[in-house]
């Protein structure tokens, strides 16, 4: 048993499917026998009184512990015990219903049989309420002696005061919107509540008594309801948050204080409303009670939270924290069976528990161990053997052994080689005549029991699938599940990747976890190019062109693009046109005289998927021919200027998003301010003209809707711009890798640098993240000297004012690569790069006829920002 777990002294569960809340629990000597009883009321109308008598700590509730159970037929909002009957100072039970207040006398009748004594309740009086009640408080209002008066707060903000059997008066609270917690301070003879304005407000009883009676106004006449003398508040304190409960306590060793439990803070106030102290809570509280003062000038408080914890505070100092089996909605401290300080908690589902803090004594005594001489040589040999086993196990860097890895459950995805005969596209925004779709068949095989398997099929937007998630029944060993989905283009622009992912999450039961240890299996699949484009007439002119060099003779497109070429047309053997579903076109040409391929299009981002597909199909073709020395290179200029235009467009949309969010926040604040003004005018007791506030409210509402629509449209444009930027970034990465003949590890570093984010967020955008990554490389592996390595990078990422720094760093990054720099994440290589970077290297000529000699240290190795031009070579 954990030291920080509440020790169960007695517990029981109340009813079935009953609901309880803050006011449903009370601890008091309701039968005037000198011992506390536990009184519980439920929203189902059941009233129960308990007197726990556990044989040993931890026993559940016994039948004889329940003294009384009666159904009152109406929901019970709150139960209190006090001196509510005139002519006697005995304690009676007050039960608050929605439209009724009942006061009962609880009495014990001696039994003549073995069943023991009997308890019964007798109705002393009741008050039928004209308004729906919310909560109540009681006390010696006005300083009366020997009796308690009751004050009920209605849902519409009226305080109804009852002098025991008779109704006294009713008063409306000014500026009321929603009811809050209510309590009475006998020291100041005032009522304290928390209004919907998030303010603690105090009203003197004398002020309430001398104000105009609310019942004298005609409820049917709204004009008369708003007339009369207003209540004057005694003091006000702005909390800045809603309050869950409020309590006034006075102990011998501490001054009288007002405690308020907020949603995120805990306040202690003086009688005049000044803050004695406050405590910021790092959890969501559910209930509290100040229960005693063990040190002069301090007060101890119990605070329960939604993490099933009960914390003990001495003023603001946490003294103890204990775990409960439920989330408490009400907590009390009682004296039961001569056991003082029993903590009584109640959950919203009816779990009633009496517990205490501390530990039980341990009766276990460890046996004596026979002493023996230690053999140091044996221990050293055993230690070396264990260290050897640990060293061998840590070499694999895998959590699971290889023998068990990926053996339990396997997921495979098979993409149909042909498009669907009948398209399965749903709600596609593409403006093309026909939107094709392709079928993906996912097979899940399991060798073990898989509990609650959940399959997700994911593709990158703007692609979409007909069904993303599948939930299966528990899979038995050696069983399988097959699902079929269709993938299609949903939005009217091309994706940056034609890939998808299948993830199967499941649980494998063990002895310790019979419900299953969560595991996952996944697989990737590639989608065909025909899904987003179709054959078209080639274009002779284009704005953007790139040329890929190879070391093999050009291959006919009839061989490597059979799905895009008509075999009957011979003119398509070295030229091929593609038209994307979004409307743009791209052209692929193969040189008849040299070993080159040219890709051209009016949009830079459209070159990426065609270039990638060409490279993959060429590699696959030569692999089938058992040709292992095939290689692609790029000798042209990196299209940085066109790439920078896409960066600027994406960054401009990010700036627009911030502006629209700021304007929307301003208009929303203006809208709420106008609403508050109108509510004040409507609830004012002396009606005043609206002064065109309604017109201003309608105009502000239209502006809010227009700004929200503009922000939504900008968000869609931003996502499209980011997708285009990712496509262009993939293209730039490929061209740099072909240009500098980078290894697989260096390409991975390049991708991690330029593609760190799957999507843009408000907290972290693409520009600042890429700028930080490139700056790190420029100061480490691509640094010219030790001075650059000593420069410190900023530890905080924030949105830049413009993209000039980013574009400068990208240009410098390419320049350093052109001069011999090599990408590496190891710290040792940074010092070795300085010697290579200082000398430089010769540039890669764009064509054979354009070769030229470059001296060491020349600036012509890579074009500067003013010299970056589009490629002009011809195949």
């Amino acid at each position: 048993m954990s030291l920080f777990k509440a020790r169960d002294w007695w517990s029981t569960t109340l009813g079935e499917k009953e609901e309880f809340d803050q006011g449903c629990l009370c601890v008091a000597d309701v039968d005037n026998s000198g011992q506390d009883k536990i009184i519980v009321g439920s929203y189902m109308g059941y009233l129960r009184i308990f007197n726990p008598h556990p044989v040993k700590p931890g026993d559940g509730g016994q039948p004889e512990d329940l003294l009384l159970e009666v159904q009152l037929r109406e929901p019970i909002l709150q139960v209190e015990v006090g001196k509510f009957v005139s002519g006697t100072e005995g304690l009676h039970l007050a039960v608050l219903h929605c439209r009724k207040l009942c006061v009962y006398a609880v009495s014990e009748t001696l039994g003549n049989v073995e069943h023991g004594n009997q308890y019964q309740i007798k109705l002393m009086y009741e008050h039928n309420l004209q308004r729906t009640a919310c909560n109540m408080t009681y006390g010696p209002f006005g300083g009366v002696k020997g009796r308690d008066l009751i004050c009920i707060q209605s849902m519409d903000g009226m305080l109804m005061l009852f002098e025991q059997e008779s109704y006294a008066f009713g008063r409306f609270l000014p500026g009321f919107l929603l009811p809050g917690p209510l309590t009475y301070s006998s020291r100041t003879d005032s009522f304290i509540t928390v209004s919907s304005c998030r303010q603690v407000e105090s009203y003197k009883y004398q002020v309430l008594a001398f104000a105009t009676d609310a019942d004298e106004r005609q409820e049917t006449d709204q004009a008369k309801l708003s007339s009369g003398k207003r209540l004057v508040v005694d003091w006000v304190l702005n909390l800045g948050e809603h309050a869950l409960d409020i309590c006034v306590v006075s102990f011998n060793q501490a001054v009288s204080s007002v405690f308020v439990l907020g949603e995120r803070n805990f306040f202690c106030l003086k009688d005049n409303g000044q803050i004695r102290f406050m405590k910021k809570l790092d959890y969501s509280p559910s209930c509290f009670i100040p229960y005693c003062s063990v040190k002069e000038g301090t007060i101890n408080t119990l605070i329960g939270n939604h993490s099933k914890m009960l914390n003990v505070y001495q003023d603001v100092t946490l003294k103890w924290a204990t775990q409960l089996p439920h989330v408490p909605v009400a907590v009390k401290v009682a004296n039961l069976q001569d056991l003082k300080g029993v903590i009584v908690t109640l959950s919203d589902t009816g779990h009633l528990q009496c517990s205490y803090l501390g530990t039980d004594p341990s009766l276990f005594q460890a046996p004596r161990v026979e002493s023996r001489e230690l053999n140091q040589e044996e221990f050293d040999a055993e230690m070396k053997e264990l260290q050897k086993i640990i060293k061998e196990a840590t070499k694999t860097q895998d959590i699971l052994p290889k023998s068990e890895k990926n053996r339990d459950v396997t997921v495979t995805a098979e993409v149909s080689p042909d498009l669907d005969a009948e398209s399965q596209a749903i709600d596609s925004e593409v403006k093309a005549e026909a939107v094709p779709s392709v079928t993906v068949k996912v097979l899940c095989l399991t060798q073990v029991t898989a509990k609650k398997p959940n399959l997700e099929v994911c593709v990158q937007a703007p692609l979409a699938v007909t069904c993303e998630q599948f939930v299966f029944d528990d899979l038995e060993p050696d069983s399988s599940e097959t699902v079929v989905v269709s993938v299609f283009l949903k939005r009217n622009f091309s994706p940056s990747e034609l890939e998808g992912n299948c993830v199967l999450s499941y649980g494998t039961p063990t002895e310790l976890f019979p419900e299953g240890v969560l595991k996952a299996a996944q697989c990737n699949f590639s989608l065909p190019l025909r899904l987003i484009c179709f054959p078209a007439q080639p274009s002779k002119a284009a704005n953007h062109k790139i040329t890929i060099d190879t070391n093999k003779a050009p291959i006919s497109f009839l061989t490597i693009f059979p799905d895009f070429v008509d075999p009957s047309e011979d003119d398509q053997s070295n030229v091929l046109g593609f038209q994307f579903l979004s409307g743009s076109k791209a052209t692929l040409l193969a040189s008849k005289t040299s070993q080159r391929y040219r890709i051209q299009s009016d949009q830079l981002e459209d070159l990426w998927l065609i270039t990638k597909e060409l490279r993959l199909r060429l590699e696959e073709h030569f692999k089938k021919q058992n040709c292992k020395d095939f290689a692609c290179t790029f000798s042209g200029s990196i299209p940085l200027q066109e790439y920078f235009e896409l960066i600027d467009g994406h960054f401009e949309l990010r700036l627009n998003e911030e502006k629209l969010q700021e304007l929307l926040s301003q208009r929303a604040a203006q809208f709420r301010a106008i609403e508050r003004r109108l509510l004040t005018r409507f609830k004012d007791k002396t009606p005043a003209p609206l002064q065109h506030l309604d017109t201003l409210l309608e105009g502000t509402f239209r502006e809010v809707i227009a700004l929200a629509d503009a922000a939504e449209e900008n968000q869609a444009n931003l996502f499209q711009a980011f997708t285009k930027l990712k496509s262009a970034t993939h293209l730039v990465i490929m061209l740099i890798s072909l240009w500098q003949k980078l290894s697989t590890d260096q390409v991975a570093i390049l991708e991690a640098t330029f593609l760190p984010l799957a999507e843009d967020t408000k907290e972290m955008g693409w520009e600042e993240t890429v700028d930080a990554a490139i700056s790190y490389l420029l100061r480490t592996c691509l640094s010219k000297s030790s001075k650059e390595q000593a420069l410190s990078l900023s530890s905080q990422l924030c949105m830049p004012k413009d993209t000039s720094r980013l574009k400068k760093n990208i240009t410098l990054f390419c320049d350093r690569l052109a001069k011999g720099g090599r990408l590496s994440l190891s710290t040792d290589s940074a010092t070795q790069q300085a010697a290579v970077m200082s000398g430089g290297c010769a540039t890669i000529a764009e064509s054979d006829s354009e070769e030229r000699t470059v001296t060491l240290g020349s600036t012509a190795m890579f074009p500067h920002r003013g010299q970056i031009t589009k490629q002009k070579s011809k195949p």
Side-chain angles (χ1 to χ4, degrees):
M1 182 68 72
S2 171
L3 181 68
F4 295 93
K5 191 172 184 179
R7 309 309 301 268
D8 186 9
W9 183 68
W10 177 87
S11 62
T12 185
T13 302
L14 308 179
E16 294 182 0
K17 297 182 180 180
E18 294 189 43
E19 295 182 9
F20 303 83
D21 207 350
Q22 191 177 57
C24 296
L25 176 65
C26 181
V27 173
D29 181 19
V30 67
D31 59 346
N32 300 284
S33 62
Q35 186 177 2
D36 286 344
K37 308 294 188 302
I38 302 175
I39 305 103
V40 183
S42 74
Y43 285 165
M44 300 298 290
Y46 286 93
L47 177 67
R48 300 177 177 90
I49 301 177
F50 293 92
N51 186 19
H53 287 81
V55 178
K56 60 180 180 179
D59 284 351
Q62 301 298 322
E64 58 269 19
D65 295 337
L66 179 61
L67 304 182
L68 177 69
E69 181 178 18
V70 61
Q71 186 176 13
L72 301 180
R73 297 184 180 180
E74 293 185 24
I76 299 176
L77 305 182
Q78 190 173 346
V79 289
E80 297 290 351
V81 174
K83 303 173 183 178
F84 301 135
V85 178
S86 60
T88 176
E89 292 190 5
L91 299 177
H92 291 76
L93 175 64
V95 180
L96 179 64
H97 302 286
C98 296
R99 288 277 184 166
K100 185 186 295 185
L101 172 65
C102 301
V103 175
Y104 298 94
V106 180
S107 58
E108 178 185 14
T109 303
L110 296 178
N112 297 324
V113 292
E114 61 182 1
H115 296 295
N117 301 339
Q118 298 178 0
Y119 283 79
Q120 59 186 3
I121 60 172
K122 178 181 179 182
L123 179 65
M124 304 303 294
Y125 62 86
E126 67 178 20
H127 293 290
N128 292 317
L129 308 178
Q130 299 300 319
R131 288 176 167 79
T132 303
C134 175
N135 50 25
M136 69 174 175
T137 185
Y138 70 95
F141 305 160
V144 297
K145 302 294 184 181
R147 56 176 181 159
D148 292 325
L149 281 63
I150 298 177
C151 175
I152 300 176
Q153 180 180 209
S154 67
M155 296 296 291
D156 58 352
M158 182 179 178
L159 297 183
M160 297 172 285
L161 285 89
F162 298 87
E163 294 184 358
Q164 296 181 338
E165 291 87 350
S166 61
Y167 171 70
F169 56 86
R171 302 288 184 265
F172 281 104
L173 294 177
F176 182 87
L177 183 61
L178 294 173
L182 177 69
T183 190
Y184 171 75
S185 174
S186 59
R187 182 179 176 87
T188 59
D189 193 24
S190 57
F191 296 95
I192 304 173
T193 184
V194 179
S195 67
S196 55
C197 297
R198 303 179 179 181
Q199 296 177 343
V200 183
E201 300 176 354
S202 174
Y203 297 93
K204 290 284 188 179
Y205 174 76
Q206 296 296 332
V207 175
L208 290 172
F210 287 104
T212 305
D213 195 339
D215 294 333
E216 294 178 359
R217 310 175 208 156
Q218 297 295 328
E219 294 182 3
T220 57
D221 191 352
Q222 295 297 329
K224 292 184 179 180
L225 270 173
S226 59
S227 63
K229 184 178 179 181
R230 292 187 179 184
L231 291 179
V232 179
V233 65
D234 186 26
W235 52 262
V236 175
L237 176 66
N238 190 357
L239 292 181
E241 60 181 313
H242 292 296
L244 302 179
D245 198 3
I246 187 170
C247 184
V248 177
V249 294
S250 179
F251 300 110
N252 294 333
Q253 298 182 5
V255 297
S256 176
S257 302
V258 180
F259 287 87
V260 182
L261 181 65
E263 294 175 320
R264 285 296 177 187
N265 294 279
F266 170 55
F267 303 88
C268 178
L269 315 179
K270 298 180 181 179
D271 289 334
N272 57 0
Q274 295 180 357
I275 296 181
R276 284 189 59 220
F277 62 81
M278 67 172 288
K279 171 71 175 177
K280 183 174 179 61
L281 307 176
D282 55 356
Y283 50 80
S284 178
S286 59
C287 60
F288 87 126
I289 180 174
Y291 64 95
C292 72
S293 175
V294 296
K295 182 180 178 182
E296 186 174 357
T298 64
I299 297 177
N300 283 21
T301 308
L302 293 173
I303 301 181
N305 60 40
H306 288 278
S307 301
K308 300 181 181 180
M309 294 292 293
L310 191 66
N311 297 330
V312 183
Y313 289 90
Q314 187 176 77
D315 285 352
V316 296
T317 305
L318 179 63
K319 290 296 185 180
W320 194 263
T322 182
Q323 183 78 40
L324 294 174
H326 57 265
V327 177
V329 296
V331 58
K332 301 290 182 182
V333 177
N335 298 327
L336 303 173
Q337 268 195 352
D338 297 330
L339 184 62
K340 297 182 179 181
V342 178
I343 301 173
V344 184
T345 55
L346 176 68
S347 72
D348 58 348
T349 57
H351 190 106
L352 180 65
Q353 175 173 312
C354 297
S355 54
Y356 59 92
L357 307 180
T359 58
D360 290 334
S362 176
L363 302 178
F364 174 75
Q365 186 176 3
R368 292 185 61 185
V369 180
E370 296 181 1
S371 60
R372 60 179 179 177
E373 295 183 0
L374 299 179
N375 191 335
Q376 192 65 34
E377 294 181 356
E378 291 183 1
F379 282 157
D380 291 341
E382 184 180 1
M383 177 62 72
K384 290 181 180 179
E385 185 67 24
L386 292 175
Q387 288 178 345
K388 183 178 179 181
I389 295 174
I390 293 173
K391 186 177 181 180
E392 291 293 331
T394 54
K395 282 183 179 179
T396 60
Q397 299 294 327
D398 285 336
I399 298 177
L400 296 176
K402 287 187 175 181
S403 59
E404 299 180 3
K405 191 175 180 181
N406 296 333
R407 190 179 65 181
D408 295 342
V409 176
T410 58
V411 181
T412 57
E414 180 183 354
V415 182
S416 174
D418 301 321
L419 299 178
D420 296 338
E422 182 178 351
S423 177
Q424 303 296 320
I426 305 172
D427 299 332
S428 178
E429 302 174 4
V430 180
K431 299 179 181 179
E433 295 181 359
V435 181
S437 64
V438 65
T439 299
V440 180
K441 182 179 179 182
V442 183
L443 177 63
C444 305
L445 295 174
T446 175
Q447 305 298 326
V448 297
T449 301
K451 286 186 170 292
K452 299 179 181 179
N454 188 346
L455 176 66
E456 289 191 12
V457 182
C458 307
V459 292
Q460 291 188 9
L463 297 174
V465 294
T466 51
C467 185
E468 295 181 348
Q469 191 171 14
F470 300 88
V471 179
F472 307 130
D473 295 331
D474 293 349
L475 297 179
E476 299 296 330
D478 298 326
S479 60
S480 64
E481 283 286 347
T482 304
V483 298
V484 177
V485 297
S486 293
V487 183
F488 60 93
L489 185 65
K490 186 169 185 179
R491 302 180 66 176
N492 195 30
F493 56 93
S494 300
S496 61
E497 289 286 347
L498 285 174
E499 295 180 353
N501 187 25
C502 299
V503 180
L504 178 69
S505 60
Y506 60 97
T508 54
T510 61
E511 294 182 0
L512 295 178
F513 301 97
E515 296 182 357
V517 178
L518 187 62
K519 295 183 179 181
Q522 65 175 348
C523 71
N524 299 325
F525 58 89
S526 299
L527 298 170
L529 187 62
R530 284 292 302 268
L531 188 63
I532 61 167
C533 64
F534 54 89
Q537 289 295 326
S539 300
K540 295 183 180 180
N543 295 332
H544 307 279
K545 304 175 184 179
I546 60 173
T547 301
I548 303 297
D549 299 331
T550 64
N551 58 354
K552 300 294 180 182
I555 307 300
S556 173
F557 291 155
L558 296 172
T559 303
I560 58 175
F561 283 97
D563 49 341
F564 283 89
V565 178
D566 188 356
S568 62
E569 298 182 7
D570 295 337
D571 58 343
Q572 292 187 346
S573 61
N574 66 335
V575 60
L576 191 59
F578 304 88
Q579 180 164 352
F580 293 92
L581 296 181
S582 58
S584 56
K585 292 184 178 181
T587 303
L588 178 61
L589 301 95
S591 175
K592 296 180 180 179
T593 58
S594 61
Q595 302 168 351
R596 293 174 177 170
Y597 298 88
R598 167 173 287 181
I599 307 96
Q600 58 187 27
S601 175
D602 289 335
Q603 306 294 332
L604 179 65
E605 62 273 8
D606 292 338
L607 299 176
W608 156 240
L609 290 177
I610 304 299
T611 307
K612 178 185 178 183
E613 191 74 14
L614 172 65
R615 185 183 179 186
L616 291 176
R617 295 197 183 200
L618 285 174
E619 291 176 350
E620 184 179 356
H621 171 76
F622 286 105
K623 186 177 181 181
K624 292 180 180 178
Q625 302 294 329
N626 293 325
C627 180
K628 299 182 180 180
D629 59 344
F630 172 77
C632 297
T633 57
F634 177 73
S635 57
S637 299
I638 306 296
L640 290 186
Q641 286 293 351
E642 296 86 346
Y643 183 51
F644 291 161
E645 291 177 3
L646 289 175
I647 294 177
D648 291 336
H650 173 261
F651 187 72
E652 183 179 355
L653 289 173
R654 287 187 63 194
L655 293 178
N656 291 340
E657 184 181 31
E658 282 198 345
K659 294 178 183 177
L660 288 172
Q661 290 291 343
E662 184 178 357
L663 286 174
L664 187 59
S665 177
Q666 293 175 358
R667 293 298 181 271
Q670 177 179 321
F671 185 76
R672 292 191 295 269
I674 299 172
E675 277 187 324
R676 288 194 293 269
R677 290 285 185 90
L678 280 174
L679 285 174
T680 304
R681 295 290 177 91
F682 290 148
K683 297 183 71 65
D684 198 349
K685 299 176 181 178
T686 56
L690 297 180
Q691 295 178 348
H692 302 289
L693 282 176
D694 52 345
T695 306
L696 186 59
L697 181 70
E698 183 179 357
T700 306
F701 176 75
R702 291 177 180 175
E703 289 185 6
V704 170
I705 296 299
L707 286 172
D709 293 340
E712 187 176 4
E713 182 181 358
N714 185 83
Q715 190 174 8
N717 294 335
L718 180 61
F719 180 79
Q720 181 176 352
F722 186 63
T723 303
K724 292 181 178 179
L725 180 60
K726 286 197 294 184
S727 298
T729 304
H730 279 295
L731 179 64
V732 171
I733 291 173
M734 175 184 283
L735 295 181
I736 293 177
S737 64
L738 296 178
W739 169 44
Q740 290 294 316
K741 299 182 177 62
L742 301 181
S743 63
T744 305
D745 293 339
Q746 291 173 329
V747 173
I749 296 175
L750 205 59
E751 290 178 346
T753 302
F754 282 89
L755 292 170
L757 301 177
E759 60 182 11
D760 267 330
T761 61
K762 295 180 180 179
E763 295 79 12
M764 186 179 298
W766 183 86
E767 285 79 6
E768 55 265 30
T769 310
V770 173
D771 185 37
I774 294 178
S775 300
Y776 175 79
L777 293 179
L778 291 176
R779 286 166 172 80
T780 53
C781 61
L782 297 180
S783 62
K784 283 187 175 181
S785 62
S786 58
K787 291 183 179 180
E788 290 188 0
Q789 297 180 18
L791 295 176
S792 61
L793 298 174
S794 176
S795 60
Q796 185 175 4
L797 294 181
C798 58
M799 185 174 177
K801 296 181 180 179
D802 52 42
T803 59
S804 59
R805 171 187 166 88
L806 173 62
K807 293 187 287 189
K808 179 181 177 181
N809 283 341
I810 293 177
T811 306
L812 184 60
F813 174 82
C814 295
D815 189 31
R816 296 276 177 90
L817 287 178
K819 292 180 179 180
R822 285 297 174 260
L823 298 176
S824 175
L825 294 181
S826 62
T827 56
D828 298 337
S829 63
T831 57
Q832 300 174 4
Q833 293 296 331
V836 179
M837 294 288 294
S838 61
C841 63
T843 184
I844 301 174
E846 183 171 339
S847 62
D848 297 338
S849 61
E850 295 174 354
E851 292 183 358
R852 55 188 181 274
T853 305
V854 182
T855 59
L856 291 178
S858 173
T859 59
M861 304 158 200
F862 184 82
H864 289 291
R865 282 172 292 173
Q867 300 173 345
I868 297 174
T869 57
K870 288 173 278 195
Q871 182 173 333
K872 299 180 180 179
S873 63
K874 296 183 179 179

